[in-house]
């Protein structure tokens, strides 16, 4: 069976029942998180938990569980799923009401759902040749910092990128690069890593923070500044970061090669730093 967690219980995915009047289903009135699991352990838990709390409070939902309860429930789910290297997807919606109404009533019980996601297969071609991405207009709302399940714009933009045979769409608002449809962006020029500052236009990515931290300890200087789309094309290297793909080197943006047009030395250095960090975690360093 594929185990899932629903409102306090572990059950098979086939058994899980959610009301069609759930506000998550009707309005995408819900938030989510995706947390990596390495060697059966939650990786970067406090960072993901902090963002979960932030998203809940941004949409006015009370956290249904204490941190210890979350860890307990997710730990049980991971165990039932057989552990190993995976990810956990969790979602909290405002819950189901008797009638469909935009109005938010008091005292609705939230719907809490979690499942495991299999690891993405490694992509040697990506490491060898890098990703080709496209620039698309950022048509999303003005609270992209909330990890909301309202992802229709992201889905459509990703579909457009797929149609162009691209790995990802990097989004541009008023000439400034924001982020990918499901990733953050970092540009390397000289010895400086630049990434757009946190704010309502981007999701504060957990992977990006770790890559920047590792970058700083590798001697790169870090700048959190807006990047113009035309400036991005002049970077030595461009990387995308996300929980699922970790660090993806970009070799081409639209028709423009980035740097040498291949994954660069900065990427390889950061990737090795990442592997060292992961090995330390796997060896039990918190
Ligand atoms: N931005 C968006 C829009 C995303 O969906 C994601 C992936 N969840 C990210 C950035 C990367 O965030 P993280 O590194 O925390 O997965």
């Amino acid at each position: 069976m594929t185990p899932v967690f629903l409102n306090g219980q572990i059950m098979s995915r086939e058994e899980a029942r959610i009301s069609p009047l759930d506000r998550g289903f009707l309005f995408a009135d819900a938030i989510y998180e995706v947390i990596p699991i390495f060697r059966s352990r939650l990786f970067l838990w406090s960072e993901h938990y902090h963002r979960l709390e932030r998203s809940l409070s941004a949409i006015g939902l009370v956290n249904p569980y204490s941190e210890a309860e979350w860890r307990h429930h997710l730990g049980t789910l991971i165990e039932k799923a057989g552990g190993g290297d995976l990810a956990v997807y969790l979602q909290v919606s405002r819950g189901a009401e008797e009638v469909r109404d935009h109005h938010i009533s008091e005292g609705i019980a939230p719907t809490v759902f979690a499942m495991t996601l299999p690891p993405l297969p490694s992509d040697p071609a990506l490491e060898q040749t890098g990703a080709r991405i496209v620039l698309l207009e950022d048509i999303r709302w003005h609270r992209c910092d909330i990890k909301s399940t309202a992802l229709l714009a992201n889905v459509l933009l990703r579909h457009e990128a797929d149609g162009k045979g691209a790995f990802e769409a990097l989004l541009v608002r008023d000439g400034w690069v924001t982020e990918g449809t499901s990733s953050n962006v970092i540009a390397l020029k000289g010895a400086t890593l630049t990434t757009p500052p946190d704010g309502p236009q981007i999701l504060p990515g957990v992977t990006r923070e770790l890559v920047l931290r590792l970058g700083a300890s590798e001697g790169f200087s870090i700048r959190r500044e807006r990047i113009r789309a035309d400036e991005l094309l002049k970077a030595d290297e461009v990387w995308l970061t996300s929980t699922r793909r970790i660090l993806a080197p970009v070799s081409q943006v639209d028709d423009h090669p980035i740097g040498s047009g291949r994954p660069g030395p900065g990427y390889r250095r950061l990737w090795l730093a990442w592997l060292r960090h992961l090995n330390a975690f796997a060896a039990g360093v918190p």
Side-chain angles (χ1 to χ4, degrees):
M1 77 150 191
T2 305
V4 299
F5 171 91
L6 182 61
N7 299 328
Q9 287 179 345
I10 305 281
M11 58 190 75
S12 73
R13 194 169 65 192
E14 293 68 31
E15 273 177 287
R17 293 279 176 274
I18 295 172
S19 166
L21 285 178
D22 195 281
R23 295 180 65 99
F25 179 60
L26 294 176
F27 299 119
D29 188 353
I31 57 89
Y32 76 108
E33 264 303 321
V34 180
I35 306 160
I37 312 297
F38 287 113
R39 311 282 156 84
S40 310
R41 284 170 62 210
L42 292 157
F43 182 58
L44 299 170
W45 165 252
S46 34
E47 290 82 351
H48 283 278
Y49 185 71
H50 172 73
R51 190 171 64 186
L52 170 66
E53 287 199 305
R54 196 178 168 279
S55 297
L56 286 168
S57 109
I59 71 161
L61 274 183
V62 175
N63 192 341
Y65 301 126
S66 68
E67 183 176 352
E69 285 168 336
W70 274 113
R71 287 188 80 113
H72 169 74
H73 291 315
L74 298 179
T76 311
L77 177 65
I78 293 161
E79 195 188 309
K80 296 267 185 219
D85 295 347
L86 343 139
V88 163
Y89 172 93
L90 69 87
Q91 164 170 339
V92 183
S93 87
R94 205 179 300 277
E97 286 177 289
E98 285 304 308
V99 288
R100 179 188 178 279
D101 191 339
H102 290 57
H103 169 76
I104 295 176
S105 317
E106 293 294 314
I108 320 168
T111 303
V112 188
F113 172 72
M115 62 182 169
T116 55
L117 305 173
L120 289 180
S122 76
D123 188 345
L126 184 70
E127 286 157 37
Q128 295 291 313
T129 58
R132 191 173 70 76
I133 63 171
V134 287
L135 295 176
L136 293 180
E137 190 195 336
D138 195 340
I139 56 169
R140 301 173 305 159
W141 70 330
H142 294 284
R143 288 307 307 272
C144 298
D145 56 319
I146 303 173
K147 202 160 168 59
S148 152
T149 62
L151 291 171
L152 182 57
N154 305 56
V155 166
L156 294 179
L157 288 162
R158 170 61 191 275
H159 187 61
E160 195 174 336
D162 287 345
K164 295 178 173 183
F167 173 79
E168 169 68 302
L170 192 54
L171 309 180
V172 179
R173 202 186 280 264
D174 303 326
W176 303 97
V177 169
T178 54
E179 60 180 342
T181 65
S182 60
S183 56
N184 290 114
V185 63
I186 299 175
L188 169 64
K189 182 89 181 164
T192 302
L193 296 174
T194 306
T195 193
D198 285 347
Q201 297 188 339
I202 67 165
L203 185 79
V206 170
T207 318
R208 180 182 70 150
E209 279 318 305
L210 177 55
V211 168
L212 292 175
R213 193 146 56 85
L214 295 172
S217 52
E218 289 290 309
F220 292 101
S221 48
I222 311 297
R223 271 211 329 236
R224 293 172 191 270
E225 272 174 22
R226 298 200 296 171
I227 307 171
R228 289 202 66 86
D230 51 350
E231 283 298 316
L232 183 87
L233 304 179
K234 297 181 204 150
D236 298 332
E237 297 185 35
V238 172
W239 312 326
L240 300 177
T241 60
S242 68
T243 293
R244 301 285 280 151
R245 291 262 178 215
I246 309 177
L247 184 63
V250 172
S251 51
Q252 197 180 328
V253 177
D254 291 333
D255 294 331
H256 309 273
I258 297 296
S260 65
R262 321 260 316 165
Y267 159 72
R268 279 193 293 277
R269 210 159 131 202
L270 259 295
W271 182 242
L272 290 176
W274 167 273
L275 291 177
R276 281 196 300 274
H277 185 84
L278 202 57
N279 283 336
F281 173 80
V285 180

